[in-house]
Amino acid sequence: MSKTSRRVVFGVLLIVTLVVSTGGALGYLGRLTLVFDRHPGKPLVIYEEVPGPKDGPNCAIDARYFDEKPEGLRPEVLQAWLKLRQKASEQGVTLCLNDGKRSRAQQQAEFDEAVKKFGTEELASKYVLNPPDRSMHVIGVAVDIQPIESAQWVEKNGNTLGWCRRYENEQWHFEYNVDYPRTGCPALIPSATGS
């Protein structure tokens, strides 16, 4: 190997070493994240596994409820929630996010708690869906709004921003769909199970 070839090889190795070292240092400091798609065509985030907050500060207008942060909602749903909350605020209405995103595990825990409360799985399933994958909270497109007066405001005004109440037995439960402003809200169904 000639002297020039050795210099080129040494230079390339030096550059590669510096790049890898710098990338490692930035990754360690949290300033660089390298992501690769292990499964082409599948999302990197599986929303059903993203947990939502377990609680939050008390609702400013009714301390019986939480006002959790909207963490874990799908990005478009989060933006729609922020617009809804802003519109309500402009009209003097406070919306408290009593329950938003749930992971599968959180949904299962909610269901188990409902079974204890109502005594049977059949009664519990009228308020908490099981298996968890059926829940719009797990999918990241549903919110429970409290107090009821605030939820009533959303029922009257939210459809223009994509929010509709879905169940007759849950005045507080709303789901987001980008088509609702155009198509209107679907008819209410008796409960999450449809019965």
Side-chain angles (χ1 to χ4, degrees), residues 1 13 17 24 35 44 50 65 71 75 84 87 101 176 180:
M1 189 184 304
L13 288 174
T17 303
V35 177
L44 291 176
V50 174
Y65 305 106
E71 296 169 350
L84 180 69
K87 182 177 178 181
K101 176 67 173 83
Y176 174 76
Y180 288 162

Side-chain angles (χ1 to χ4, degrees), residues 47 50-56 66-74 77-78 81 96-104 106-107 110 135-146 163 172-175:
Y47 282 95
V50 174
K54 292 185 176 146
D55 56 29
F66 291 120
D67 187 15
E68 70 181 36
K69 293 180 180 178
E71 296 169 350
L73 295 175
R74 292 176 179 268
V77 178
L78 173 60
W81 166 251
C96 293
L97 180 57
N98 191 58
D99 201 2
K101 176 67 173 83
R102 298 178 195 148
S103 67
R104 288 178 177 126
Q106 288 171 319
Q107 181 73 15
E110 290 271 332
S135 170
M136 294 297 115
H137 286 285
V138 172
I139 294 169
V141 298
V143 296
D144 291 345
I145 298 171
Q146 292 290 356
W163 292 98
W172 53 84
H173 179 90
F174 295 86
E175 295 174 10

